[in-house]
Amino acid sequence: MAKKMYDTPNLDELEKGEWPSFVTGLKRLAKEKDLMVDLLGQLETSYKTRKGYWKGGTVGVFGYGGGVIPRFTELKDENGQPVYKDAAEFHTLRVMPPPGMHYDTGTLRQFCDIWEKHGSGLIAFHGQSGDIMFQGCSTENVQKAFDEINEMGFDLGGAGPAVRTSMSCVGAARCEQSCYDEAQAHRAVLNTFLDDLHRPSLPYKFKFKFSGCPNDCMNAIQRSDMAVIGTWRDNIRSDEALAKKWFAKHGMDELVNDVVARCPTKTFQVKELKKIKKGEHITSVAVSDTHGVEIDNQDCVRCMHCINVMTGALAPGKDKGASVLVGGKSHLKIGGLMGTVVIPFMKLDTEEQVEKLVDFAQRTIDFFAENALEHERTGEMIERIGLANFLDAMELDVDPAMINSPRMNPYVRTDGWDDEVAKIKAKKQAA
Amino acid sequence: MNAPVQMRKPKETGVPDNKKYLHPLLAKNYGNWKYHDRPRPGVLHHVSHSGDEVWSVRAGTQRQMDVYTIRTLCDIADKFAEGRVRFTIRSNIEFMVSEEKKVAPLIAELEKHGFPVGGTGNSVTMIAHTQGWLHCDIPGTDASGVVKALMDELVDEFKREEMPNRVHLSTSCCEINCGGQADIAIIVQHTKPPVINHDLVANVCERPAVVARCPVAAIRPAMVNGKPSLEIDESKCMCCGACYPPCPPMQINDPENSKLAIWVGGKNSNARGKPTFMKMVASGYPNNAPRWPEVSEAVKNIIRVYKEDARPWERMADWIDRIGWPRFFEKTGLPFTKYLIDDWRGSRYNLNASTHIRF
């Protein structure tokens, strides 16, 4: 039994309503733990004063430089003593999830037992970078909790100027749109950089994210320094039985208004069956006895919309792989940046092919470590030096798939033009 | 003298293999799925090329879970889902079941324990969010509380699939925007420059690093009361709060003047148009704990207008593309102020360089 609870009139308001209440959970924990009684006391104070009361510090585990988020209370009385002393330390352990965030209940129960013993009993599935967050631990117990979690086969995630914890979508495990083995690529890449993940020494953070298709369920383009996004090169596949089933349910109006009209390049057409073209790049499928769909795949940008709407009737092709985009990040300091294409397509079917992705990631991190300014993200670095210089350093060939349009200003020195043309020609001939 | 303590060396095992955690049918049909449909909101039905079928039931959680909640979810998974679960990026939990007849009892069990079933397809799904007052060192507001208050209001839309397309929400407790891009986002917007505690700066802050952190070069070193400190050119400062994390004596949070802003139209997917960043459409909402009724009402209003007006498959950004910004502000009743005209780098690309004007 824990000590007596404080009155928490503000937090009590958050026990009302239908959505599961984190406050009810905090109170359940506070029945057994003084730490949580005091945590509720401090949180209630924040709700009253509308101010936060945590500061960082340095707490870690033996052998690592990061992965623990230290929190010490700043809510002190006139003598400088913590007002809520049992929650004066409330550190978080970031722990990397398995790809796709799959668990068995044995593992989850073991997490619970460890965290009930050493920590607060509060666990978040998951933080915004994908970590399992074991929230609320004294400095003394951080090492004990980590040792037990680590013995289970789980490892700390990233924090500070380091390679950060990564996320991958449900992917091949349960999604028909998956274009590569996300879990394999996720583990191959991340587990190459464990030193850079556990011992922060980069200019700033570096995030990888892995999405199996252009729906980008991991928000990789906007939220990662390197986004690996599944796609395919050949024709969209079709299934006549499922196409007819879809059409029987949804009809011509929906086919035209929801699919044809929403195709970004207008390559998706509905035609009378006898007018549908044949050809190497054409996908066609009948939806009724009179009409069918025709897609010229050379004009398709693999946006996923028609496949999302008519799942099963249409599906990604068989020549699958991934596009790699670099430089995504949020606002600070120069404004939000999306990742931009640096590898339009690479195969990821074999271990050797995945190794090429790992090698590219390694060279990118090395370049970032040597060239970025302090607290500068990869996208900001590329904006400062220009994409062409980055590609040059990475030994990547330029490709018009990397741009929205060629430059719109003449402010460029082009005295190397003839040499570049010659190089491109020589490369083409050699290929 | 005490013997030196033998410290345990970490096992640098990295990202664990997920194979042993997969539901047996997911492991068996890995990479071999054919299509899926949704028999009802909250349920995905996947069919494999092998002919196997699996039903996934999705439920909302409070994300910050106590061990008792997690054990309850484990009990449910043991009873119905072969002891396997997974979590989505938006902190929903999914139970995979191998027989259709288990779906209804599983849903009943989840609802009995207070977990709403939904968040699939064209629903309003769980809000991606951050740490806030519970654990962050720089929060302007709470996160879990804002989310709880808003999800109480939106839970019916979580349980239905009646929106034109999916609606992703996020909240962020400062302008760093850890909540990420979303169809609708609530983000703290500071409105006053930081208040500097000059007694502490010299001991707490690495001054050159703080100067370098400012996006508008408004911070410079200064001697104040005989102590090395920092000063701010308040005419340049746009109150982003970037100086606060490296220098907590530059207090940016303010119970009255740190407001909540609403942003709309972020889209992660490449479907139809390219991914988009969200845009600020309203600000000045009070940081009114514990239930934030003003900003909550404003978000509900935008959702209501979008639901009535958007066509099937139009995400928030697609809808606004069709109707245009003037109509967006007219229909939502939000005032369009000069603060919504971009003046950051690249801002001219956000201006209308055409006569494309809707009347």
Side-chain angles (χ1 to χ4, degrees), chain B residues 273-300:
Chain B
K274 293 181 179 181
T276 55
F277 278 139
M278 57 206 183
K279 290 90 182 167
M280 192 201 282
V281 293
S283 192
Y285 296 103
N287 190 8
N288 202 355
R291 292 201 75 99
W292 295 270
E294 299 85 358
V295 73
S296 179
E297 190 49 50
V299 168
K300 276 186 339 191

PDB file of all heavy atoms in Angstrom, chain B residues 273-300:
ATOM      1  N   GLY B 273      -2.133  12.892 -54.717  1.00  0.00           N
ATOM      2  CA  GLY B 273      -1.063  13.890 -54.769  1.00  0.00           C
ATOM      3  C   GLY B 273       0.150  13.450 -53.967  1.00  0.00           C
ATOM      4  O   GLY B 273       0.110  12.475 -53.222  1.00  0.00           O
ATOM      5  N   LYS B 274       1.245  14.195 -54.129  1.00  0.00           N
ATOM      6  CA  LYS B 274       2.445  13.925 -53.342  1.00  0.00           C
ATOM      7  C   LYS B 274       2.176  14.241 -51.867  1.00  0.00           C
ATOM      8  O   LYS B 274       1.204  14.925 -51.553  1.00  0.00           O
ATOM      9  CB  LYS B 274       3.596  14.796 -53.864  1.00  0.00           C
ATOM     10  CG  LYS B 274       4.035  14.404 -55.276  1.00  0.00           C
ATOM     11  CD  LYS B 274       5.185  15.270 -55.765  1.00  0.00           C
ATOM     12  CE  LYS B 274       5.607  14.814 -57.164  1.00  0.00           C
ATOM     13  NZ  LYS B 274       6.734  15.608 -57.690  1.00  0.00           N
ATOM     14  N   PRO B 275       3.038  13.771 -50.969  1.00  0.00           N
ATOM     15  CA  PRO B 275       2.847  14.117 -49.548  1.00  0.00           C
ATOM     16  C   PRO B 275       2.833  15.631 -49.360  1.00  0.00           C
ATOM     17  O   PRO B 275       3.458  16.364 -50.124  1.00  0.00           O
ATOM     18  CB  PRO B 275       4.078  13.510 -48.862  1.00  0.00           C
ATOM     19  CG  PRO B 275       4.603  12.492 -49.802  1.00  0.00           C
ATOM     20  CD  PRO B 275       4.236  12.946 -51.177  1.00  0.00           C
ATOM     21  N   THR B 276       2.096  16.076 -48.353  1.00  0.00           N
ATOM     22  CA  THR B 276       1.990  17.525 -48.116  1.00  0.00           C
ATOM     23  C   THR B 276       2.326  17.833 -46.658  1.00  0.00           C
ATOM     24  O   THR B 276       2.111  17.013 -45.760  1.00  0.00           O
ATOM     25  CB  THR B 276       0.556  18.022 -48.375  1.00  0.00           C
ATOM     26  OG1 THR B 276      -0.355  17.252 -47.584  1.00  0.00           O
ATOM     27  CG2 THR B 276       0.171  17.918 -49.832  1.00  0.00           C
ATOM     28  N   PHE B 277       2.832  19.027 -46.449  1.00  0.00           N
ATOM     29  CA  PHE B 277       2.969  19.554 -45.092  1.00  0.00           C
ATOM     30  C   PHE B 277       1.658  20.231 -44.706  1.00  0.00           C
ATOM     31  O   PHE B 277       0.944  20.763 -45.564  1.00  0.00           O
ATOM     32  CB  PHE B 277       4.089  20.590 -45.019  1.00  0.00           C
ATOM     33  CG  PHE B 277       5.458  19.989 -44.881  1.00  0.00           C
ATOM     34  CD1 PHE B 277       6.533  20.522 -45.586  1.00  0.00           C
ATOM     35  CD2 PHE B 277       5.691  18.918 -44.036  1.00  0.00           C
ATOM     36  CE1 PHE B 277       7.806  19.983 -45.457  1.00  0.00           C
ATOM     37  CE2 PHE B 277       6.963  18.376 -43.903  1.00  0.00           C
ATOM     38  CZ  PHE B 277       8.023  18.918 -44.622  1.00  0.00           C
ATOM     39  N   MET B 278       1.368  20.252 -43.425  1.00  0.00           N
ATOM     40  CA  MET B 278       0.157  20.928 -42.976  1.00  0.00           C
ATOM     41  C   MET B 278       0.399  22.446 -42.894  1.00  0.00           C
ATOM     42  O   MET B 278       1.541  22.905 -42.859  1.00  0.00           O
ATOM     43  CB  MET B 278      -0.285  20.368 -41.634  1.00  0.00           C
ATOM     44  CG  MET B 278       0.742  20.444 -40.563  1.00  0.00           C
ATOM     45  SD  MET B 278       0.458  19.155 -39.341  1.00  0.00           S
ATOM     46  CE  MET B 278       1.744  19.546 -38.168  1.00  0.00           C
ATOM     47  N   LYS B 279      -0.702  23.179 -42.875  1.00  0.00           N
ATOM     48  CA  LYS B 279      -0.657  24.642 -42.873  1.00  0.00           C
ATOM     49  C   LYS B 279      -1.379  25.187 -41.652  1.00  0.00           C
ATOM     50  O   LYS B 279      -2.422  24.663 -41.262  1.00  0.00           O
ATOM     51  CB  LYS B 279      -1.344  25.197 -44.126  1.00  0.00           C
ATOM     52  CG  LYS B 279      -0.590  24.944 -45.417  1.00  0.00           C
ATOM     53  CD  LYS B 279      -0.987  23.640 -46.053  1.00  0.00           C
ATOM     54  CE  LYS B 279      -0.172  23.389 -47.328  1.00  0.00           C
ATOM     55  NZ  LYS B 279      -0.311  22.000 -47.790  1.00  0.00           N
ATOM     56  N   MET B 280      -0.858  26.277 -41.095  1.00  0.00           N
ATOM     57  CA  MET B 280      -1.525  26.879 -39.937  1.00  0.00           C
ATOM     58  C   MET B 280      -2.785  27.611 -40.393  1.00  0.00           C
ATOM     59  O   MET B 280      -2.750  28.392 -41.343  1.00  0.00           O
ATOM     60  CB  MET B 280      -0.596  27.865 -39.235  1.00  0.00           C
ATOM     61  CG  MET B 280      -1.131  28.294 -37.873  1.00  0.00           C
ATOM     62  SD  MET B 280      -0.425  29.832 -37.289  1.00  0.00           S
ATOM     63  CE  MET B 280       1.154  29.283 -36.726  1.00  0.00           C
ATOM     64  N   VAL B 281      -3.911  27.325 -39.740  1.00  0.00           N
ATOM     65  CA  VAL B 281      -5.162  27.989 -40.124  1.00  0.00           C
ATOM     66  C   VAL B 281      -5.815  28.737 -38.964  1.00  0.00           C
ATOM     67  O   VAL B 281      -6.772  29.487 -39.180  1.00  0.00           O
ATOM     68  CB  VAL B 281      -6.192  27.001 -40.726  1.00  0.00           C
ATOM     69  CG1 VAL B 281      -5.685  26.465 -42.064  1.00  0.00           C
ATOM     70  CG2 VAL B 281      -6.501  25.854 -39.772  1.00  0.00           C
ATOM     71  N   ALA B 282      -5.333  28.528 -37.756  1.00  0.00           N
ATOM     72  CA  ALA B 282      -5.937  29.246 -36.630  1.00  0.00           C
ATOM     73  C   ALA B 282      -4.947  29.256 -35.478  1.00  0.00           C
ATOM     74  O   ALA B 282      -4.107  28.368 -35.358  1.00  0.00           O
ATOM     75  CB  ALA B 282      -7.231  28.568 -36.186  1.00  0.00           C
ATOM     76  N   SER B 283      -5.040  30.262 -34.649  1.00  0.00           N
ATOM     77  CA  SER B 283      -4.190  30.321 -33.469  1.00  0.00           C
ATOM     78  C   SER B 283      -4.940  31.066 -32.367  1.00  0.00           C
ATOM     79  O   SER B 283      -6.076  31.498 -32.561  1.00  0.00           O
ATOM     80  CB  SER B 283      -2.862  31.015 -33.802  1.00  0.00           C
ATOM     81  OG  SER B 283      -1.946  30.826 -32.741  1.00  0.00           O
ATOM     82  N   GLY B 284      -4.284  31.193 -31.224  1.00  0.00           N
ATOM     83  CA  GLY B 284      -4.855  32.011 -30.151  1.00  0.00           C
ATOM     84  C   GLY B 284      -5.804  31.287 -29.221  1.00  0.00           C
ATOM     85  O   GLY B 284      -6.443  31.907 -28.378  1.00  0.00           O
ATOM     86  N   TYR B 285      -5.898  29.936 -29.346  1.00  0.00           N
ATOM     87  CA  TYR B 285      -6.774  29.209 -28.420  1.00  0.00           C
ATOM     88  C   TYR B 285      -6.079  29.070 -27.068  1.00  0.00           C
ATOM     89  O   TYR B 285      -4.886  28.788 -27.011  1.00  0.00           O
ATOM     90  CB  TYR B 285      -7.125  27.822 -28.964  1.00  0.00           C
ATOM     91  CG  TYR B 285      -7.923  27.893 -30.239  1.00  0.00           C
ATOM     92  CD1 TYR B 285      -7.334  27.655 -31.473  1.00  0.00           C
ATOM     93  CD2 TYR B 285      -9.279  28.230 -30.209  1.00  0.00           C
ATOM     94  CE1 TYR B 285      -8.055  27.744 -32.649  1.00  0.00           C
ATOM     95  CE2 TYR B 285     -10.014  28.316 -31.386  1.00  0.00           C
ATOM     96  CZ  TYR B 285      -9.389  28.077 -32.599  1.00  0.00           C
ATOM     97  OH  TYR B 285     -10.108  28.169 -33.752  1.00  0.00           O
ATOM     98  N   PRO B 286      -6.810  29.263 -25.963  1.00  0.00           N
ATOM     99  CA  PRO B 286      -6.173  29.213 -24.650  1.00  0.00           C
ATOM    100  C   PRO B 286      -5.739  27.794 -24.280  1.00  0.00           C
ATOM    101  O   PRO B 286      -6.348  26.821 -24.711  1.00  0.00           O
ATOM    102  CB  PRO B 286      -7.276  29.701 -23.702  1.00  0.00           C
ATOM    103  CG  PRO B 286      -8.552  29.424 -24.417  1.00  0.00           C
ATOM    104  CD  PRO B 286      -8.253  29.564 -25.884  1.00  0.00           C
ATOM    105  N   ASN B 287      -4.679  27.724 -23.488  1.00  0.00           N
ATOM    106  CA  ASN B 287      -4.143  26.442 -23.014  1.00  0.00           C
ATOM    107  C   ASN B 287      -4.955  26.027 -21.793  1.00  0.00           C
ATOM    108  O   ASN B 287      -4.475  26.035 -20.674  1.00  0.00           O
ATOM    109  CB  ASN B 287      -2.671  26.640 -22.672  1.00  0.00           C
ATOM    110  CG  ASN B 287      -1.959  25.328 -22.398  1.00  0.00           C
ATOM    111  OD1 ASN B 287      -2.509  24.249 -22.607  1.00  0.00           O
ATOM    112  ND2 ASN B 287      -0.743  25.419 -21.900  1.00  0.00           N
ATOM    113  N   ASN B 288      -6.208  25.656 -22.057  1.00  0.00           N
ATOM    114  CA  ASN B 288      -7.196  25.580 -20.991  1.00  0.00           C
ATOM    115  C   ASN B 288      -7.375  24.166 -20.434  1.00  0.00           C
ATOM    116  O   ASN B 288      -8.362  23.491 -20.727  1.00  0.00           O
ATOM    117  CB  ASN B 288      -8.527  26.142 -21.530  1.00  0.00           C
ATOM    118  CG  ASN B 288      -9.440  26.608 -20.429  1.00  0.00           C
ATOM    119  OD1 ASN B 288      -9.128  26.430 -19.246  1.00  0.00           O
ATOM    120  ND2 ASN B 288     -10.554  27.184 -20.807  1.00  0.00           N
ATOM    121  N   ALA B 289      -6.393  23.726 -19.636  1.00  0.00           N
ATOM    122  CA  ALA B 289      -6.503  22.422 -18.969  1.00  0.00           C
ATOM    123  C   ALA B 289      -7.687  22.479 -17.985  1.00  0.00           C
ATOM    124  O   ALA B 289      -8.012  23.570 -17.511  1.00  0.00           O
ATOM    125  CB  ALA B 289      -5.206  22.147 -18.206  1.00  0.00           C
ATOM    126  N   PRO B 290      -8.295  21.353 -17.651  1.00  0.00           N
ATOM    127  CA  PRO B 290      -7.922  19.988 -18.025  1.00  0.00           C
ATOM    128  C   PRO B 290      -8.608  19.453 -19.284  1.00  0.00           C
ATOM    129  O   PRO B 290      -8.298  18.332 -19.670  1.00  0.00           O
ATOM    130  CB  PRO B 290      -8.394  19.177 -16.807  1.00  0.00           C
ATOM    131  CG  PRO B 290      -9.612  19.905 -16.343  1.00  0.00           C
ATOM    132  CD  PRO B 290      -9.347  21.359 -16.604  1.00  0.00           C
ATOM    133  N   ARG B 291      -9.503  20.206 -19.934  1.00  0.00           N
ATOM    134  CA  ARG B 291     -10.191  19.583 -21.079  1.00  0.00           C
ATOM    135  C   ARG B 291     -10.132  20.411 -22.358  1.00  0.00           C
ATOM    136  O   ARG B 291     -10.713  20.033 -23.376  1.00  0.00           O
ATOM    137  CB  ARG B 291     -11.635  19.222 -20.715  1.00  0.00           C
ATOM    138  CG  ARG B 291     -11.694  18.088 -19.677  1.00  0.00           C
ATOM    139  CD  ARG B 291     -13.019  17.360 -19.656  1.00  0.00           C
ATOM    140  NE  ARG B 291     -13.185  16.475 -20.781  1.00  0.00           N
ATOM    141  CZ  ARG B 291     -12.979  15.158 -20.739  1.00  0.00           C
ATOM    142  NH1 ARG B 291     -12.618  14.576 -19.633  1.00  0.00           N
ATOM    143  NH2 ARG B 291     -13.146  14.423 -21.811  1.00  0.00           N
ATOM    144  N   TRP B 292      -9.472  21.551 -22.328  1.00  0.00           N
ATOM    145  CA  TRP B 292      -9.224  22.321 -23.548  1.00  0.00           C
ATOM    146  C   TRP B 292     -10.461  22.458 -24.440  1.00  0.00           C
ATOM    147  O   TRP B 292     -10.444  22.104 -25.628  1.00  0.00           O
ATOM    148  CB  TRP B 292      -8.063  21.691 -24.344  1.00  0.00           C
ATOM    149  CG  TRP B 292      -6.756  21.760 -23.630  1.00  0.00           C
ATOM    150  CD1 TRP B 292      -5.834  22.753 -23.708  1.00  0.00           C
ATOM    151  CD2 TRP B 292      -6.211  20.804 -22.716  1.00  0.00           C
ATOM    152  NE1 TRP B 292      -4.760  22.474 -22.894  1.00  0.00           N
ATOM    153  CE2 TRP B 292      -4.956  21.282 -22.273  1.00  0.00           C
ATOM    154  CE3 TRP B 292      -6.660  19.581 -22.217  1.00  0.00           C
ATOM    155  CZ2 TRP B 292      -4.153  20.595 -21.362  1.00  0.00           C
ATOM    156  CZ3 TRP B 292      -5.859  18.895 -21.298  1.00  0.00           C
ATOM    157  CH2 TRP B 292      -4.627  19.401 -20.892  1.00  0.00           C
ATOM    158  N   PRO B 293     -11.585  22.971 -23.897  1.00  0.00           N
ATOM    159  CA  PRO B 293     -12.835  22.961 -24.663  1.00  0.00           C
ATOM    160  C   PRO B 293     -12.808  23.832 -25.926  1.00  0.00           C
ATOM    161  O   PRO B 293     -13.412  23.464 -26.936  1.00  0.00           O
ATOM    162  CB  PRO B 293     -13.872  23.496 -23.663  1.00  0.00           C
ATOM    163  CG  PRO B 293     -13.086  24.214 -22.617  1.00  0.00           C
ATOM    164  CD  PRO B 293     -11.759  23.509 -22.533  1.00  0.00           C
ATOM    165  N   GLU B 294     -12.068  24.960 -25.891  1.00  0.00           N
ATOM    166  CA  GLU B 294     -12.098  25.873 -27.037  1.00  0.00           C
ATOM    167  C   GLU B 294     -11.455  25.244 -28.274  1.00  0.00           C
ATOM    168  O   GLU B 294     -12.040  25.243 -29.360  1.00  0.00           O
ATOM    169  CB  GLU B 294     -11.388  27.202 -26.698  1.00  0.00           C
ATOM    170  CG  GLU B 294     -12.021  27.973 -25.535  1.00  0.00           C
ATOM    171  CD  GLU B 294     -11.524  27.504 -24.160  1.00  0.00           C
ATOM    172  OE1 GLU B 294     -10.710  26.558 -24.093  1.00  0.00           O
ATOM    173  OE2 GLU B 294     -11.969  28.085 -23.147  1.00  0.00           O
ATOM    174  N   VAL B 295     -10.249  24.704 -28.110  1.00  0.00           N
ATOM    175  CA  VAL B 295      -9.557  24.130 -29.262  1.00  0.00           C
ATOM    176  C   VAL B 295     -10.245  22.835 -29.695  1.00  0.00           C
ATOM    177  O   VAL B 295     -10.321  22.506 -30.882  1.00  0.00           O
ATOM    178  CB  VAL B 295      -8.048  23.929 -28.971  1.00  0.00           C
ATOM    179  CG1 VAL B 295      -7.805  22.781 -28.024  1.00  0.00           C
ATOM    180  CG2 VAL B 295      -7.264  23.717 -30.256  1.00  0.00           C
ATOM    181  N   SER B 296     -10.796  22.132 -28.731  1.00  0.00           N
ATOM    182  CA  SER B 296     -11.510  20.901 -29.027  1.00  0.00           C
ATOM    183  C   SER B 296     -12.731  21.191 -29.912  1.00  0.00           C
ATOM    184  O   SER B 296     -12.990  20.488 -30.899  1.00  0.00           O
ATOM    185  CB  SER B 296     -11.915  20.273 -27.691  1.00  0.00           C
ATOM    186  OG  SER B 296     -12.628  19.110 -27.874  1.00  0.00           O
ATOM    187  N   GLU B 297     -13.471  22.244 -29.570  1.00  0.00           N
ATOM    188  CA  GLU B 297     -14.645  22.630 -30.365  1.00  0.00           C
ATOM    189  C   GLU B 297     -14.224  23.035 -31.783  1.00  0.00           C
ATOM    190  O   GLU B 297     -14.878  22.683 -32.761  1.00  0.00           O
ATOM    191  CB  GLU B 297     -15.380  23.792 -29.668  1.00  0.00           C
ATOM    192  CG  GLU B 297     -16.731  24.136 -30.247  1.00  0.00           C
ATOM    193  CD  GLU B 297     -17.628  22.906 -30.438  1.00  0.00           C
ATOM    194  OE1 GLU B 297     -17.787  22.097 -29.497  1.00  0.00           O
ATOM    195  OE2 GLU B 297     -18.139  22.746 -31.576  1.00  0.00           O
ATOM    196  N   ALA B 298     -13.089  23.752 -31.879  1.00  0.00           N
ATOM    197  CA  ALA B 298     -12.620  24.195 -33.196  1.00  0.00           C
ATOM    198  C   ALA B 298     -12.232  23.008 -34.077  1.00  0.00           C
ATOM    199  O   ALA B 298     -12.536  22.983 -35.281  1.00  0.00           O
ATOM    200  CB  ALA B 298     -11.436  25.145 -33.030  1.00  0.00           C
ATOM    201  N   VAL B 299     -11.586  22.015 -33.487  1.00  0.00           N
ATOM    202  CA  VAL B 299     -11.206  20.824 -34.254  1.00  0.00           C
ATOM    203  C   VAL B 299     -12.458  20.066 -34.693  1.00  0.00           C
ATOM    204  O   VAL B 299     -12.582  19.646 -35.850  1.00  0.00           O
ATOM    205  CB  VAL B 299     -10.274  19.905 -33.417  1.00  0.00           C
ATOM    206  CG1 VAL B 299     -10.124  18.543 -34.071  1.00  0.00           C
ATOM    207  CG2 VAL B 299      -8.917  20.561 -33.226  1.00  0.00           C
ATOM    208  N   LYS B 300     -13.386  19.916 -33.776  1.00  0.00           N
ATOM    209  CA  LYS B 300     -14.634  19.209 -34.123  1.00  0.00           C
ATOM    210  C   LYS B 300     -15.364  19.921 -35.256  1.00  0.00           C
ATOM    211  O   LYS B 300     -15.948  19.294 -36.146  1.00  0.00           O
ATOM    212  CB  LYS B 300     -15.554  19.121 -32.893  1.00  0.00           C
ATOM    213  CG  LYS B 300     -15.209  17.951 -32.017  1.00  0.00           C
ATOM    214  CD  LYS B 300     -16.165  17.698 -30.857  1.00  0.00           C
ATOM    215  CE  LYS B 300     -17.019  18.831 -30.425  1.00  0.00           C
ATOM    216  NZ  LYS B 300     -17.731  18.667 -29.183  1.00  0.00           N
TER     217      LYS B 300
END
